[in-house]
Amino acid sequence: MPHTDRPHASTDRTLLTHHAYRHAQPLTARQRLYDFQRPRYDLPGLVLRHLDHPHGTWADVGCGTGLYLDRIRSERPQAHVLGLDLSASLLAALEGARVCADAALLPLRTGSVDVVLAMHMLYHLNDPDRALAEAARVLKPVGSLVVSTNSRHDKQELDELWARAAARVLGEEQGPRRVKLSARFAAEDAARTIGRHFEQVSVIDLDGVIEVDSPEPVLAHYASYRAWSHETGVPFEQTLNRVEDDLRVRLEEGPLAITTRQALIFAHRPRHDREAPAP
């Protein structure tokens, strides 16, 4: 029977904190694939260039490995910067103010924060809209939210590689696509969803091409989804091995190009207790 749907990526808290993000390696592997992208985007730099908040409180919700925390503290030394994440083990490796917290229930006073970051993390939540409401609640009336996520069409070449390998493993004509975390909160829907809680929303599209001439960075990227292996629809390790074989054959022809489509969304003027517009 052919597979047409993408496997569901679980948002179970135990899976996220004890498996997917128990340590930094999976997240780092996904980030490092962008080292091969052209054009290169300095995401922390883009955030800082587009926000005029030299003082006050910055809250990085889902701060992960601290990539943004370090840059904000370096370039906004007069700001109070707080990292929040659901993974206590990731937080333990960071320096500075940090707290283990749920994005949908922030331990911050209403109207007390100048900037909230939610970078490539809202798709890990069962209800991203609730986290956006929380961000709006804790922000000051002139506060700003920054969100990043991927398009539904991001890295389609990796979908195709995985589906072909999975089909061979299953002995079927068509295999399931890979788990894609951002499918729950895709760039195509982000501005509309954020607009329920903010009066001003703008989007910067960050498209590019990743070009690799060896299989290692791609295999590391696939392997970083191992925590969701039970949801891939195929024996994960067997499929990964098949992908490696296919990649090595493909790379004999020359570098592999992978199309990336991301979005950086800036939102201002949180609605707070005012009635949000209908979806």
Side-chain angles (χ1 to χ4, degrees):
M1 180 178 180
H3 299 263
T4 57
D5 295 332
R6 185 183 302 281
H8 170 69
S10 173
T11 58
D12 178 76
R13 290 168 61 110
T14 300
L15 182 146
L16 292 173
T17 57
H18 294 276
H19 299 283
Y21 298 111
R22 185 177 181 179
H23 51 80
Q25 183 178 354
L27 180 56
T28 300
R30 290 198 286 277
Q31 293 170 340
R32 284 180 176 168
L33 187 61
Y34 292 100
D35 290 347
F36 302 89
Q37 178 179 312
R38 297 292 181 273
R40 290 286 299 275
Y41 295 107
D42 174 16
L43 289 180
L46 282 172
V47 170
L48 288 162
R49 284 197 295 275
H50 282 81
L51 291 180
D52 184 22
H53 292 277
H55 310 286
T57 298
W58 293 54
D60 186 356
V61 180
C63 60
T65 58
L67 176 67
Y68 292 86
L69 295 175
D70 293 341
R71 284 288 295 277
I72 297 166
R73 287 169 178 152
S74 173
E75 299 189 24
R76 297 287 193 275
Q78 297 182 20
H80 173 63
V81 185
L82 175 65
L84 303 97
D85 203 284
L86 196 60
S87 172
S89 57
L90 286 183
L91 288 172
L94 304 181
E95 298 181 354
R98 58 204 187 278
V99 62
C100 190
D102 187 336
L105 192 63
L106 296 174
L108 301 169
R109 293 193 308 273
T110 297
S112 64
V113 178
D114 294 270
V115 179
V116 170
L117 275 64
M119 311 303 289
H120 279 87
M121 55 75 60
L122 286 170
Y123 43 70
H124 285 309
L125 305 178
N126 280 319
D127 187 1
D129 191 72
R130 183 176 174 185
L132 290 168
E134 269 291 89
R137 178 187 67 80
V138 304
L139 280 167
K140 296 177 181 179
V142 294
S144 301
L145 170 74
V146 190
V147 170
S148 61
T149 189
N150 296 333
S151 163
R152 289 192 183 88
H153 306 292
D154 179 63
K155 304 182 190 72
Q156 284 188 309
E157 295 83 357
L158 297 189
D159 279 346
E160 295 164 5
L161 275 169
W162 183 270
R164 285 197 297 268
R168 293 186 179 95
V169 169
L170 295 173
E172 298 180 355
E173 182 178 346
Q174 181 179 347
R177 292 179 292 172
R178 66 191 177 105
V179 167
K180 182 179 285 186
L181 301 179
S182 55
R184 183 181 298 274
F185 185 78
E188 289 81 355
D189 306 321
R192 181 175 64 254
T193 304
I194 294 169
R196 298 172 190 166
H197 305 281
F198 292 82
E199 294 184 2
Q200 297 178 354
V201 180
S202 59
V203 180
I204 299 176
D205 293 320
L206 303 174
D207 297 341
V209 176
I210 293 169
E211 192 171 274
V212 295
D213 55 13
S214 67
E216 285 74 22
V218 175
L219 295 173
H221 181 87
Y222 281 124
S224 73
Y225 294 91
R226 189 173 276 110
W228 291 274
S229 61
H230 60 292
E231 296 168 354
T232 60
V234 293
F236 186 83
E237 301 301 333
Q238 190 176 350
T239 305
L240 188 60
N241 289 338
R242 183 70 201 215
V243 168
E244 180 176 5
D245 293 341
D246 292 348
L247 262 177
R248 292 191 183 281
V249 172
R250 166 60 186 81
L251 290 171
E252 290 178 359
E253 304 171 6
L256 172 68
I258 303 165
T259 306
T260 65
R261 300 185 185 280
Q262 302 181 75
L264 188 61
I265 304 106
F266 292 89
H268 310 282
R269 299 182 65 186
R271 296 182 183 276
H272 287 156
D273 293 332
R274 285 168 288 179
E275 183 178 353

